[in-house]
Amino acid sequence: MHGFHQTSTRRQFGCRCAAFCVGVGTVANLIDDLYGAKSNQMEHLSTHGIADIRLLTTKLDEQHRFYEKVLGLPVALYDNELIVTAGATRIVFQGTSKADGAPFYHFAFNIPENKLALAQSWQKERTQLIQRGGKDIVDFARWNAHSIFFNDPAGNILEYIARHDLKNAAKGVFSPADILYASEIGLVVDSIPQTVKMIREELGLDVYRDNSEAFASIGDEHALLILVKRDRLWAPDKTRAAKAHPLVAAIRGLKPASFTMRDFDYRIHIDPALTDVQRRLMAEAIGEARKGAESGGVPVGCVLAKGERIIARGRNRRIQDGDPIMHAEIACLRSVLKQGGRDACKGAAVYSTGMPCEMCAGALVHWGVKELFAARLDGAPDTRVSLESRGVQVVEVSMEEPQKLIRQFQARLNK
């Protein structure tokens, strides 16, 4: 697993899966587990919304202070990335050079539908709100929703939205715990109709309640892609022209799918919830990671399965064996050699506690693996596009224990 060690250009951001070197021990630097103990409500919310958003910023330090000190959200700084946990959504801000301009985006958070006025008061104590017509609260009558807007230091347009069709009212004052998950991410494009058509075909998502030549919303009230024509003025105050900047987003959905707009460096993924069988197999991979931790190694594990049957197991043994390439996936594939070799892997699925590095991803492709289910680990390599372009279906899942094992490993190394 490897992190980023330098400022990225716009193109590198879109193609970064190819930039990971092989087998160096940067796992020790993986960031602390941001999620902690979750309530039953959060466990439920983790089936909705946008799971992950990856954005560029030229103001990493200012963003760090803002999201931690002003919004009170869990944050961690890892190499050139700031990871923010906003309810059931992880937002990754990746540092970029000022030569790329000043990237800014629009994203919205669902909050309890009865807490917009409380959120207004809470946020006004911390930042200036962006008004429309002299008013803080924007009434989206067609959406049966009310919102407030504000900026972060990088100029991103943030929104808290109370959607009254969602029966998610909550008691008490407003706090950061009421930021449930990201429910909107803006995509600036040149042709709304063409983009709507592509998203329908490739992601299976349809128009929500707006579809015009200049603006469209795609998805549902839990997760919306907000399509805006380039240079259209952003709501609510309509003072800033919409510009395109690279981004990656993963939406929770029913069927896995991916959509790429290479001209804009946009990547959108849909990751479904796991079935009972898939959860059991992922639990087996976590068991391998635990065994690795108990023997003093890097706690990453995986299993290879066909249907419900486990064919092989593996865990990272670089430390134990003194072998720099003995990553979990390599260890798993080596064990397959005893059971018929490559033919045993064809059409199989790998369940891993983290995304594989480029070396391991190449090995999975070479051995004919068709599916990869991987837990999201902060700081792990982003080889998804590389794998999908070579015929491997990838599903990423948010799980607490793989992060926790890495956190404990890091703590031991830092003693």
Side-chain angles (χ1 to χ4, degrees):
M1 303 208 189
H2 314 285
F4 299 104
H5 302 280
Q6 58 199 12
T7 299
S8 299
T9 65
R10 294 167 63 91
R11 182 56 59 184
Q12 285 169 337
F13 177 87
C15 305
R16 47 184 294 229
C17 61
F20 294 97
C21 58
V22 173
V24 296
T26 58
V27 173
N29 296 319
L30 280 172
I31 62 97
D32 193 8
D33 177 17
L34 298 177
Y35 298 96
K38 292 182 174 62
S39 65
N40 291 334
Q41 181 190 30
M42 188 58 68
E43 298 264 344
H44 171 68
L45 291 175
S46 65
T47 64
H48 294 311
I50 301 173
D52 266 48
I53 304 173
R54 179 174 290 273
L55 311 171
L56 293 177
T57 185
T58 59
K59 297 186 176 182
L60 207 59
D61 291 338
E62 294 96 322
Q63 294 287 82
H64 186 181
R65 288 191 294 271
F66 177 83
Y67 283 91
E68 181 178 35
K69 302 299 183 184
V70 178
L71 295 191
L73 296 173
V75 304
L77 196 59
Y78 171 72
D79 290 343
N80 193 42
E81 294 182 340
L82 172 68
I83 298 105
V84 178
T85 302
T89 300
R90 184 184 71 161
I91 304 171
V92 181
F93 292 103
Q94 183 178 343
T96 190
S97 69
K98 289 183 171 57
D100 292 326
F104 72 95
Y105 306 84
H106 163 67
F107 47 96
F109 300 112
N110 275 8
I111 66 170
E113 63 93 13
N114 63 325
K115 287 197 175 185
L116 202 279
L118 294 171
Q120 174 196 16
S121 299
W122 186 88
Q123 194 63 43
K124 283 189 77 169
E125 294 176 355
R126 292 159 175 79
T127 65
Q128 182 176 350
L129 299 184
I130 306 173
Q131 294 186 331
R132 173 188 280 182
K135 295 182 179 180
D136 292 339
I137 295 178
V138 179
D139 181 3
F140 292 104
R142 281 173 46 77
W143 291 20
N144 192 23
H146 291 84
S147 296
I148 60 170
F149 293 81
F150 57 97
N151 294 124
D152 67 14
N156 294 311
I157 303 168
L158 279 64
E159 176 184 359
Y160 296 153
I161 182 164
R163 303 181 191 272
H164 306 301
D165 290 340
L166 299 180
K167 304 309 177 185
N168 59 4
K171 297 179 181 179
V173 299
F174 183 85
S175 75
D178 290 307
I179 298 174
L180 304 178
Y181 50 81
S183 60
E184 295 180 11
I185 182 68
L187 302 180
V188 179
V189 299
D190 289 326
S191 172
I192 300 288
Q194 181 180 352
T195 307
V196 169
K197 181 176 182 293
M198 289 190 297
I199 290 175
R200 279 173 166 161
E201 292 174 352
E202 298 189 37
L203 293 181
L205 302 178
D206 213 336
V207 170
Y208 179 54
R209 295 180 183 175
D210 294 278
N211 187 14
S212 70
E213 292 288 329
F215 179 91
S217 55
I218 310 292
D220 62 26
E221 54 267 274
H222 296 294
L224 287 168
L225 301 177
I226 304 297
L227 306 184
V228 176
K229 190 171 178 62
R230 193 197 299 263
D231 292 326
R232 181 182 187 267
L233 298 180
W234 274 113
D237 57 348
K238 298 189 176 181
T239 61
R240 300 177 68 193
K243 303 296 181 183
H245 302 287
L247 67 84
V248 181
I251 299 171
R252 297 180 177 95
L254 297 177
K255 295 182 179 180
S258 291
F259 170 66
T260 300
M261 294 186 70
R262 300 192 184 280
D263 291 345
F264 297 94
D265 283 344
Y266 294 158
R267 287 161 37 200
I268 310 296
H269 307 293
I270 295 181
D271 291 323
L274 299 182
T275 66
D276 289 343
V277 169
Q278 291 164 350
R279 279 195 294 270
R280 180 180 65 80
L281 292 169
M282 186 61 78
E284 294 288 340
I286 292 172
E288 292 299 315
R290 285 198 208 101
K291 292 176 184 176
E294 291 165 359
S295 60
V298 179
V300 177
C302 73
V303 298
L304 186 142
K306 283 190 174 179
E308 300 184 26
R309 183 172 65 92
I310 294 176
I311 299 171
R313 300 169 179 269
R315 55 185 178 271
N316 190 301
R317 297 191 55 84
R318 291 190 298 109
I319 294 174
Q320 298 95 318
D321 296 356
D323 185 344
I325 69 168
M326 189 58 84
H327 294 193
E329 294 83 2
I330 298 300
C332 189
L333 293 176
R334 282 186 178 179
S335 71
V336 177
L337 288 172
K338 303 173 184 178
Q339 306 176 50
R342 186 176 174 183
D343 287 343
C345 291
K346 289 181 179 178
V350 164
Y351 296 79
S352 178
T353 62
M355 283 294 292
C357 69
E358 192 67 29
M359 173 188 71
C360 294
L364 297 182
V365 172
H366 180 70
W367 282 59
V369 170
K370 288 303 179 186
E371 291 182 293
L372 170 67
F373 297 85
R376 292 186 176 92
L377 285 182
D378 297 328
D382 181 3
T383 48
R384 180 168 186 158
V385 170
S386 176
L387 284 160
E388 290 180 334
S389 69
R390 292 183 280 177
V392 179
Q393 179 177 288
V394 178
V395 174
E396 292 185 82
V397 294
S398 297
M399 305 185 77
E400 182 181 345
E401 187 155 6
Q403 291 275 17
K404 183 178 179 180
L405 289 169
I406 290 295
R407 177 193 64 186
Q408 293 169 341
F409 174 72
Q410 177 191 15
R412 288 196 302 271
L413 290 182
N414 289 339
K415 284 183 178 179

